[in-house]
Amino acid sequence: MLGKQAIFFHQGDYHSKLRRLVLRAFTPESVKNIIPDIESIAVDSLRSWENRLINTFQEMKIFTFNVALLSIFGKDEVLYREDLKKCYYILEKGYNSMPINLPGTLFHKSMKARKELAQILAKILALRRESNKEEHNDLLASFMEEKEGLSDEQIADNIIGVIFAARDTTASVLTWIMKYLAENPTVLQAVTEEQEGIMKAKDDKPLTWADTKKMPITSRVIQETLRVASILSFTFREAVEDVEFEGYLIPKGWKVLPLFRNIHHSPDNFSEPEKFDPSRFEVAPKPNTFMPFGNGTHSCPGNELAKLEILVLIHHMTTKYRWSTVGPQNEIHYAPFALPQNGLPVRLFPKKQS
């Protein structure tokens, strides 16, 4: 469904090239230029949630989807947003469906949407080539460089793959952050004071990259959320050679599942691992004990963008709004990422209201 040429399904030279292209578009130098646009998306999103009961996860998915499109297509994304959204929303419903490609089935509808999505992307590529005199610094421009020699199919597969990777995972993290802040008023107060200090210092001017580097408390909250919630519980890997691990032989070709949740919740690595305690990250964790974005050559190349959009949303959320969760929140649901019960129903109110 994502496409056979997507970065997730490869290793070796092709994977290395794709990873380099994605990293180039998502370096701090690149993403800091779109902070004003991310901020605009965050402000509009929060405003649309005011004074109503929302499903936090579903609303966060809309926010992260729009940021993903911005990072891929730059400011041109507004031209294609609705068409891309319509097809992608149908496609994603089939990710966990039975692969029965018969008319009327969810899988069939999703595959049809996948073809339509590829057609839209082909049009976008054609339009971008016609306007090649314009300079672009987005992911699409990185993929389209002639010297890289990527085909339209490879570009389309990897754009869809990036949307998949950038959307639900980051939306899940933001959902858990809202839950943990609501349940830990002392932590929420510390984050709010930090963000209000930044807001006062910038005097209503747009956020900058330098501002996001003045958020140590907020950054620790993000780290602790990534540890406790462990959105990426495990990943699929394959032994590329014989490996001996703690006396066991893992033969070449065997499938391996690194269990990040077990690592993050091990008392050997973190004391009282079930407790939400951002202060534990005042000291850097030991190597290979904290891997929310994976590790090695297959680690997430978009982690800088993910952290940036989370910081921007938290800034406006804590300085301008208050919220309360609705209903019981004592269960974890998997869809397939770990989520609070029912997607965390929340009521959000502007602070200026009584």
Side-chain angles (χ1 to χ4, degrees):
M1 286 186 148
L2 295 180
K4 295 180 180 179
Q5 302 298 322
I7 186 173
F8 314 111
F9 312 123
H10 294 271
Q11 57 187 23
D13 292 342
Y14 179 65
H15 174 271
S16 298
K17 177 167 76 171
L18 290 173
R19 181 176 172 79
R20 174 171 52 80
L21 296 178
V22 176
L23 281 170
R24 184 168 64 190
F26 291 160
T27 61
E29 191 64 32
S30 297
V31 297
K32 73 180 184 182
N33 294 323
I34 61 173
I35 290 178
D37 301 296
I38 295 176
E39 191 169 19
S40 177
I41 294 172
V43 169
D44 289 345
S45 297
L46 288 164
R47 190 176 293 127
S48 72
W49 306 342
E50 289 181 8
N51 301 314
R52 65 187 183 92
L53 180 65
I54 64 168
N55 180 305
T56 305
F57 179 59
Q58 294 302 322
E59 296 295 341
M60 291 300 183
K61 283 172 69 174
I62 296 172
F63 167 69
T64 54
F65 183 80
N66 291 337
V67 173
L69 294 189
L70 172 69
S71 67
I72 295 167
F73 302 108
K75 293 185 178 180
D76 290 344
E77 64 91 13
V78 295
L79 303 174
Y80 321 117
R81 183 189 297 170
E82 293 309 314
D83 288 339
L84 290 168
K85 184 185 294 184
K86 178 182 176 181
C87 288
Y88 188 82
Y89 283 14
I90 297 172
L91 171 64
E92 70 166 352
K93 292 178 181 178
Y95 283 152
N96 296 315
S97 66
M98 291 293 290
I100 301 173
N101 200 11
L102 294 175
T105 64
L106 191 56
F107 184 82
H108 180 80
K109 293 176 182 177
S110 296
M111 292 305 292
K112 184 179 178 182
R114 173 64 173 79
K115 291 179 181 178
E116 293 176 2
L117 197 55
Q119 292 170 356
I120 295 171
L121 292 171
K123 292 179 183 177
I124 294 172
L125 288 169
L127 290 170
R128 179 68 70 92
R129 290 189 178 104
E130 289 176 6
S131 61
N132 59 7
K133 291 182 180 180
E134 298 180 24
E135 187 173 333
H136 297 274
N137 297 310
D138 47 44
L139 181 61
L140 181 60
S142 187
F143 281 154
M144 288 182 67
E145 284 197 8
E146 289 186 14
K147 64 181 180 180
E148 302 299 346
L150 293 182
S151 68
D152 285 7
E153 181 184 4
Q154 289 172 325
I155 293 173
D157 286 0
N158 281 285
I159 286 175
I160 294 170
V162 167
I163 294 173
F164 169 78
R167 186 172 178 240
D168 285 23
T169 49
T170 308
S172 300
V173 177
L174 282 162
T175 302
W176 281 106
I177 286 174
M178 287 195 73
K179 173 179 167 62
Y180 289 140
L181 288 179
E183 293 175 346
N184 295 272
T186 303
V187 176
L188 174 58
Q189 182 64 27
V191 170
T192 302
E193 290 176 357
E194 178 177 78
Q195 296 299 333
E196 287 177 343
I198 291 170
M199 183 173 66
K200 184 178 180 180
K202 70 186 184 72
D203 193 26
D204 288 332
K205 294 178 182 177
L207 278 172
T208 65
W209 181 256
D211 290 329
T212 65
K213 296 305 169 185
K214 300 174 184 175
M215 303 178 181
I217 297 173
T218 309
S219 295
R220 290 195 289 270
V221 167
I222 296 172
Q223 288 178 294
E224 179 68 342
T225 300
L226 289 166
R227 184 195 69 81
V228 177
S230 288
I231 306 301
L232 187 64
S233 300
F234 61 86
T235 187
F236 295 96
R237 292 290 181 261
E238 180 179 311
V240 296
E241 60 183 38
D242 289 350
V243 178
E244 186 173 324
F245 179 73
E246 295 187 357
Y248 292 91
L249 174 66
I250 303 174
K252 178 182 178 180
W254 276 35
K255 307 304 179 186
V256 182
L257 291 178
L259 300 175
F260 299 128
R261 183 177 295 275
N262 285 20
I263 296 170
H264 294 164
H265 285 252
S266 170
D268 294 333
N269 300 328
F270 300 97
S271 61
E272 298 183 85
E274 303 306 317
K275 181 181 179 182
F276 182 79
D277 180 13
S279 68
R280 71 173 83 242
F281 283 95
E282 291 175 2
V283 178
K286 297 176 183 177
N288 299 319
T289 62
F290 182 61
M291 296 179 282
F293 296 102
N295 206 356
T297 59
H298 287 267
S299 61
C300 175
N303 67 81
E304 288 292 343
L305 175 64
K307 288 183 283 190
L308 177 63
E309 63 183 296
I310 292 171
L311 287 170
V312 171
L313 189 72
I314 290 177
H315 171 76
H316 288 279
M317 188 170 67
T318 56
T319 56
K320 300 174 183 176
Y321 295 90
R322 56 188 175 84
W323 67 94
S324 59
T325 59
V326 177
Q329 291 297 322
N330 53 1
E331 294 182 10
I332 298 177
H333 294 173
Y334 294 88
F337 304 107
L339 286 171
Q341 191 170 353
N342 299 319
L344 192 70
V346 156
R347 290 192 185 277
L348 190 82
F349 304 96
K351 284 188 173 180
K352 60 185 178 183
Q353 289 184 191
S354 60

